[in-house]
Amino acid sequence: MIFSGASMEYRKLKDEDKDGSTVEDDIENLNGRPLLAPPNTTGSSYNDHPKWKTKSIVTLLLTLLTSSQSILIVWSKGAGKYEYSVITANFSVEALKCILSLLALARIWRKDGVTEDNKLSTSLNEVILYPIPAALYLVKNLLQYYIFAYVNAPSYQILKNLNIISTGVLYRIILKRKLSKIQWAAFILLCAGCTTAQLDSSSDRVLQTPIQGWMMAIVMALLSGLAGVYTEAIMKKRPSRNINVQNFWLYVFGMVFNAMAIFVQDFDAVMNKGFFYGYTWITMLMILNHALSGIAVSMVMKFADNIVKVYATSVAMLLTALVSMCFFEFHFSLAFFLGSTVVSLSVYLHSIGKEQSRAK
């Protein structure tokens, strides 16, 4: 009975999705970040006719946050290693996102009052669904610190787009979501673009990134995709539930798992040196950046559209490369430029293909 009811809800949501009246199933939206409820689609809406000033500000904000993520992680290193505990930093990110979700809920409570769908109290059957994606995000988020032992910031910006492929394939396998031919073509172009951007003509190696970096990038993409698809399944099981409540519980379990990781790996260091040992202002900016990135994506989905994310992703790759040239001795090559261009094109095609697939 429960499975039948969940299936009916999913089919109902899928039908609504064809009319464009449901939450966007974008990659970033499925990664447990705080989202804002979509506006009504009757008449004109922000999604259909965003004001150019708001759209420009949102695009600029998302571009700056996206491009600075990898730069801040690399910059936070001291003498080639992290002086702080990356697990405590990840815990701080989860805690900050949890606070932001509570602030969003407080605003809703003041405006609409506490209802069955936006109250924090929940049942055991609902709350036990969140530990799995929280654990997946824990491993994925920690890997993003260690991958920089093998890749530079621009290469990371390129390779992290592989999560588009993993999410799309997992959609097809788990949620039986059909993919358009344009999406499959975008996946092939994405792989070609990532490979082209890593070509190294200045050494005997064919690719700049060693096999360890590629393996970590692929594992991160798989974890991100699996956690995203699982999170969507949870959210669509009870579509009327306020998204900030769902994210709050996801972040709570994220804090719990990070606390367990601290106890296992960094307990002695934290007890002897303190929770914030090794932190600098760059570390704090990095934590703030990771938390605000989810809010920026929420603003994109409310006030702009998917094309804004394509622009932000494309510009962020080039901006990261330019900053890395100035501060991290990155050499901007023709192969990297061509590869990033192909990746940008693939992201654009994927966005178009997703809209066509949804319209069918």
Side-chain angles (χ1 to χ4, degrees):
M1 294 295 292
I2 296 176
F3 177 79
S4 177
S7 299
M8 292 178 64
E9 287 181 357
Y10 177 78
R11 285 195 297 270
K12 179 181 177 182
L13 221 70
K14 190 172 182 180
D15 291 337
E16 292 176 352
D17 190 50
K18 294 179 180 179
D19 297 330
S21 59
T22 189
V23 179
E24 293 284 350
D25 59 348
D26 201 271
I27 300 297
E28 266 69 352
N29 289 357
L30 306 180
N31 286 343
R33 295 170 178 166
L35 306 179
L36 300 175
N40 292 331
T41 55
T42 56
S44 62
S45 66
Y46 286 111
N47 279 336
D48 295 332
H49 306 288
K51 296 180 180 179
W52 71 270
K53 285 186 177 180
T54 302
K55 189 172 182 178
S56 300
I57 293 173
V58 169
T59 305
L60 178 62
L61 178 61
L62 184 61
T63 301
L64 291 176
L65 288 172
T66 301
S67 60
S68 60
Q69 272 187 1
S70 56
I71 293 174
L72 287 172
I73 293 178
V74 175
W75 217 336
S76 68
K77 286 184 175 182
K81 65 177 183 178
Y82 300 108
E83 300 293 340
Y84 59 91
S85 166
V86 296
I87 304 178
T88 62
N90 203 46
F91 178 92
S92 300
V93 172
E94 296 298 313
L96 183 54
K97 290 194 291 186
C98 193
I99 293 173
L100 292 174
S101 295
L102 284 176
L103 291 175
L105 277 173
R107 182 180 179 183
I108 294 173
W109 292 336
R110 286 196 302 269
K111 181 180 179 181
D112 303 326
V114 179
T115 66
E116 187 66 25
D117 289 326
N118 66 27
K119 66 180 182 179
L120 282 179
S121 59
T122 183
S123 64
L124 179 62
N125 289 334
E126 180 180 1
V127 80
I128 60 175
L129 298 174
Y130 294 100
I132 294 178
L136 293 173
Y137 285 128
L138 168 65
V139 180
K140 178 258 180 185
N141 290 335
L142 292 179
L143 281 177
Q144 74 178 348
Y145 292 96
Y146 299 117
I147 194 175
F148 286 102
Y150 305 102
V151 304
N152 51 36
S155 296
Y156 173 77
Q157 290 286 13
I158 293 284
L159 293 176
K160 76 174 186 177
N161 288 296
L162 290 173
N163 71 340
I164 295 176
I165 300 177
S166 65
T167 304
V169 173
L170 288 169
Y171 265 144
R172 183 70 183 91
I173 296 173
I174 298 176
L175 296 182
K176 307 301 181 183
R177 187 77 55 82
K178 291 184 178 180
L179 300 175
S180 65
K181 294 181 180 179
I182 294 181
Q183 285 178 292
W184 286 113
F187 294 162
I188 297 174
L189 280 177
L190 183 57
C191 292
C194 289
T195 304
T196 302
Q198 296 302 303
L199 292 177
D200 188 3
S201 59
S202 60
S203 69
D204 295 333
R205 294 187 308 177
V206 177
L207 301 177
Q208 295 179 9
T209 301
I211 186 63
Q212 297 95 323
W214 279 95
M215 293 303 298
M216 292 181 72
I218 293 172
V219 171
M220 286 177 61
L222 289 174
L223 290 173
S224 178
L226 183 59
V229 173
Y230 192 94
T231 301
E232 183 187 12
I234 293 175
M235 292 181 175
K236 286 190 173 182
K237 186 175 182 180
R238 187 178 174 183
S240 61
R241 189 68 153 149
N242 186 278
I243 193 71
N244 292 293
V245 175
Q246 295 173 314
N247 282 331
F248 169 81
W249 285 109
L250 182 64
Y251 299 147
V252 165
F253 279 104
M255 293 169 62
V256 170
F257 286 131
N258 275 280
M260 293 170 60
I262 292 172
F263 183 82
V264 172
Q265 183 170 330
D266 292 338
F267 180 77
D268 291 337
V270 170
M271 292 300 295
N272 295 330
K273 301 179 182 179
F275 187 88
F276 298 104
Y277 77 92
Y279 277 46
T280 63
W281 65 273
I282 296 178
T283 311
M284 301 303 294
L285 279 178
M286 180 194 69
I287 292 171
L288 181 63
N289 173 285
H290 279 71
L292 290 181
S293 293
I295 301 299
V297 172
S298 303
M299 294 174 65
V300 168
M301 302 316 300
K302 184 174 180 64
F303 296 112
D305 50 44
N306 279 333
I307 302 302
V308 167
K309 286 187 59 186
V310 176
Y311 293 151
T313 301
S314 303
V315 175
M317 287 188 292
L318 296 177
L319 186 59
T320 301
L322 292 175
V323 173
S324 297
M325 286 176 61
C326 298
F327 296 99
F328 303 121
E329 299 181 354
F330 172 74
H331 300 288
F332 193 91
S333 64
L334 177 61
F336 182 88
F337 175 77
L338 293 175
S340 60
T341 301
V342 173
V343 170
S344 300
L345 176 62
S346 69
V347 174
Y348 175 72
L349 289 177
H350 173 74
S351 178
I352 294 178
K354 185 171 62 177
E355 294 299 327
Q356 291 184 358
S357 178
R358 182 184 294 119
K360 291 181 180 180

